[in-house]
Amino acid sequence: MAAACTHQDIVFEGNAVGWAPSGAATALSLHHEHDPARLPTSGVGHGHKPTGRYVLAAGRADEDDDLCQAIPVGALKPRVTYRVAGWISVAAAAGEVAAAEGAGHAVHVSIRVGVDGSRVIDGGAVCAEPGRWAEIKGAFRLTEESLLRGAAAVVHVHGAPAGVDVKVMDIRIIATDRKARFSHLKNKTDKVRKRDVVLKFGSGEAPAGASVRVVQVDNAFPFGSCINCEVINIPAFADFFTAHFDWAVFENELKWYWTEAQRGQLNYADADRLLDFCDRAGKPARGHCIFWAVDGDVQQWLKDIPSNDDRGRAGLAAAVDSRLRGLLGRYAGRFPHYDVNNEMLHGRFFRDRLGDAVAPRMFREAAALDPAAKLFVNDYNVECGNDPAATPEKYVQLIRDLQRGGAKVGGIGLQGHVANPVGEVVCDAVDKLADATGLPVWITELDVREPDVALRADDLEVVLREVYAHPAVEGVVLWGFMEGHMWRPDAALVGADGVPNEAGRRFLELRREWKTDAGGRVDGDGVFRFRGFHGTYVAQITTAKGKMIKAFTVDKGNEALVLDMGV
């Protein structure tokens, strides 16, 4: 049966008819998972329980030899964000030893568009293991230009090594419904970020009928941005940052390759300049980063230290210790957060040379040198569902390994370099991390790449609403905001002149939405009630005798906050 369209979903039926092998040696057959214990649970936003019916692709001679199916002409629309949902597993190859938990093979789903299928669009990826079903949670979006290149579109499952059989169950392409999700999130936000407040006035202070205006000054949930030594000298950047952000992070100036590009030649002047700027603006800064685990981001002199003998390893370990003492000794108490060993899901520079024990030791030593700082893990793609190396499960395992080594992990950083974000997928990742570890989560490097600024605004809203509504998320830091001064193109919120574009206006609208401005009158019991976001407030009370101003703070809590305004 060919793929069918139902309620905007594109459903690829769980049988071998309609699916075609993408390699000459590949054979397809239909099977059924009868054991309920082996079936996956319902998927994230999938809307359907797994049927148990799956197609097996066997006899694969190449990584691209899997299965594919045509997407009905006209089923995909431009400018719509689609989710790819379903489950994938693999069967062990002949002679293959059973994989350890967390190991497996990367399997990808891609969308091929055009007469010749030359345009290949990523639709998600999983780390599939024998005996376990992995859920696909990818997303994609097409432009008008993509669809004009040809009416044909094909979904293609591929990527496992030759000889590994691939199983595919209940693949769907689902058009996201952002309006419905936002409606759900507004209710969730009200429960997570707001509290009932009762202002009590004594007799004579504010008689019944007195006017009250309550205005929130600051939100307890911080938003920040990265800065560097160039942008702080641009008035439009500095003005926008100071007016609309609460925290900072240095783009490069604290990284080891910046502070010690040549061995023994230390440069903390740039970091000092940025700290001075933050002090003047009254903004705390995250410490990013002490070490970086990815080989390509390690300076050459470190790479040149031999690690194939005890003497070389001792030299590298001494350099690591010197970095810890130099950085944290200099700035103890200045950075509330540190990213300790950046991107450990994607790099192993120090662990490969000094052993796995070096990573928790970095955390232990950092905690001893700056006990007040929260020490974070920090990585990318965990929130996207498209990177087999960076699943929430693998992140949890990394954190547990660090903790077993004595690391005091204080928080989880999700970088947030996203495109085509899907709220349910972001929420699922945060749920899994928070439930398994109990640690706070920060979005540490958010940027949303999309050339169409109207869609960029929508994508930004997806991420911000999702994380603001989640109780485990304690802050969001953007990886820049000004055109021409960002790591990723097509992600800016303001132009070079400092004027917000549509994405920037959406950001400011959300910040205004998440601040309380309430008014009314004192009732007959001398009470004024409102429900407000957590943060600091001022109340203006107007009576026949004049006006008075009261300041107060609304903290988190399940019970109503009762404040005696006469104190």
Side-chain angles (χ1 to χ4, degrees):
M1 184 181 297
C5 288
T6 60
H7 306 295
Q8 293 186 310
D9 290 7
I10 303 170
V11 183
F12 299 94
E13 300 290 357
N15 58 52
V17 181
W19 287 104
S22 58
T26 303
L28 304 184
S29 57
L30 177 65
H31 299 266
H32 199 288
E33 189 74 85
H34 293 286
D35 183 356
R38 297 174 66 89
L39 279 175
T41 57
S42 295
V44 177
H46 195 280
H48 300 270
K49 293 182 179 180
T51 64
R53 298 189 301 273
Y54 66 90
V55 178
L56 175 68
R60 300 173 54 257
D62 188 83
E63 288 187 1
D64 281 338
D65 290 352
D66 273 297
L67 63 166
C68 59
Q69 186 167 162
I71 297 173
V73 174
L76 296 177
K77 307 297 181 184
R79 298 172 59 82
V80 175
T81 300
Y82 290 96
R83 275 212 49 213
V84 178
W87 294 273
I88 291 175
S89 185
V90 295
E96 183 179 12
V97 178
E101 185 172 358
H105 301 295
V107 179
H108 299 261
V109 176
S110 59
I111 312 300
R112 301 193 175 191
V113 182
V115 175
D116 57 356
S118 58
R119 178 81 187 277
V120 180
I121 299 166
D122 178 27
V126 296
C127 182
E129 305 173 41
R132 297 185 180 94
W133 288 99
E135 184 184 3
I136 280 281
K137 291 178 284 190
F140 68 94
R141 187 162 56 215
L142 299 176
T143 63
E144 288 88 346
E145 292 78 8
S146 298
L147 293 175
L148 288 174
R149 291 178 184 177
V154 173
V155 61
H156 182 211
V157 182
H158 60 100
V164 175
D165 295 347
V166 175
K167 305 174 182 180
V168 177
M169 183 191 296
D170 301 347
I171 295 291
R172 291 173 178 262
I173 295 178
I174 304 168
T176 57
D177 186 347
R178 291 179 170 179
K179 289 185 178 179
R181 184 66 182 174
F182 289 170
S183 177
H184 163 75
L185 290 175
K186 284 188 176 181
N187 294 329
K188 187 178 177 183
T189 297
D190 184 84
K191 295 177 182 178
V192 170
R193 302 293 173 193
K194 299 178 83 173
R195 187 176 183 182
D196 289 325
V197 182
V198 179
L199 305 184
K200 296 181 65 175
F201 299 92
S203 59
E205 291 172 343
S211 173
V212 180
R213 171 81 183 278
V214 173
V215 177
Q216 188 171 4
V217 179
D218 288 306
N219 195 302
F221 186 99
F223 289 87
S225 173
C226 78
I227 61 175
N228 60 48
C229 283
E230 177 186 4
V231 296
I232 63 171
N233 293 319
I234 301 173
F237 183 100
D239 290 346
F240 193 92
F241 171 82
T242 302
H244 300 296
F245 291 99
D246 313 301
W247 279 57
V249 65
F250 304 167
E251 188 167 10
N252 295 302
E253 286 82 351
L254 208 67
K255 293 170 182 172
W256 196 1
Y257 67 64
W258 190 282
T259 62
E260 195 176 4
Q262 302 298 322
R263 188 168 195 175
Q265 298 179 21
L266 298 177
N267 167 29
Y268 290 115
D270 294 329
D272 289 346
R273 286 180 59 204
L274 293 179
L275 266 180
D276 288 344
F277 171 82
C278 291
D279 288 345
R280 293 194 301 272
K283 316 290 185 184
R286 302 191 73 250
H288 176 79
C289 50
I290 304 174
F291 301 101
W292 202 336
V294 178
D295 285 48
D297 297 292
V298 175
Q299 60 270 49
Q300 189 60 45
W301 68 262
L302 268 177
K303 294 180 180 180
D304 290 341
I305 298 175
S307 57
N308 55 356
D309 57 36
D310 291 344
R311 182 177 179 182
R313 287 188 289 272
L316 181 58
V320 167
D321 290 341
S322 177
R323 165 66 171 174
L324 283 162
R325 291 192 303 270
L327 182 69
L328 280 82
R330 181 183 183 89
Y331 293 117
R334 301 300 306 277
F335 293 102
H337 297 176
Y338 276 107
D339 297 327
V340 177
N341 190 15
N342 199 39
E343 298 175 358
M344 282 188 284
L345 292 175
H346 293 92
R348 293 185 52 89
F349 178 85
F350 297 99
R351 287 176 288 172
D352 283 346
R353 288 156 178 80
L354 297 175
D356 287 340
V358 70
R361 188 167 70 82
M362 289 171 172
F363 277 80
R364 294 197 308 269
E365 293 301 316
L369 289 162
D370 194 349
K374 284 188 177 181
L375 305 179
F376 276 67
V377 290
N378 192 53
D379 226 304
Y380 62 92
N381 285 352
V382 180
E383 70 286 340
C384 298
N386 62 358
D387 185 349
T391 65
E393 292 79 7
K394 289 187 176 181
Y395 213 9
V396 169
Q397 187 61 50
L398 172 67
I399 293 165
R400 287 175 174 163
D401 288 345
L402 290 168
Q403 291 172 330
R404 278 193 289 269
K408 295 181 179 179
V409 181
I412 301 172
L414 298 178
Q415 291 184 8
H417 299 296
V418 301
N420 311 322
V422 174
E424 292 90 336
V425 175
V426 174
C427 181
D428 178 63
V430 179
D431 280 345
K432 288 177 177 176
L433 295 170
D435 291 347
T437 69
L439 293 171
V441 176
W442 277 62
I443 310 302
T444 54
E445 304 181 19
L446 177 62
D447 54 24
V448 179
R449 184 174 185 177
E450 169 54 56
D452 185 321
V453 71
L455 289 176
R456 190 187 313 162
D458 292 342
D459 288 345
L460 180 67
E461 184 175 4
V462 165
V463 179
L464 292 182
R465 284 198 183 279
E466 204 66 52
V467 300
Y468 190 73
H470 201 290
V473 180
E474 294 190 353
V476 172
V477 179
L478 275 61
W479 204 245
F481 57 84
M482 178 173 277
E483 184 179 353
H485 300 280
M486 295 188 68
W487 175 59
R488 291 210 305 174
D490 300 323
L493 306 189
V494 305
D497 57 0
V499 177
N501 58 28
E502 189 167 348
R505 291 193 294 274
R506 189 74 57 85
F507 171 72
L508 297 178
E509 288 167 4
L510 288 170
R511 293 226 63 182
R512 287 191 291 269
E513 179 183 323
W514 295 329
K515 274 190 176 181
T516 300
D517 188 335
R521 297 193 178 273
V522 177
D523 65 19
D525 296 323
V527 167
F528 175 74
R529 294 177 173 85
F530 72 99
R531 184 168 178 81
F533 289 98
H534 307 142
T536 59
Y537 287 78
V538 293
Q540 177 178 284
I541 302 95
T542 304
T543 69
K545 297 180 180 179
K547 297 179 180 179
M548 61 178 175
I549 303 294
K550 298 283 188 178
F552 58 93
T553 299
V554 177
D555 296 318
K556 292 181 181 180
N558 295 323
E559 303 296 327
L561 176 65
V562 180
L563 298 171
D564 187 345
M565 301 306 286
V567 176

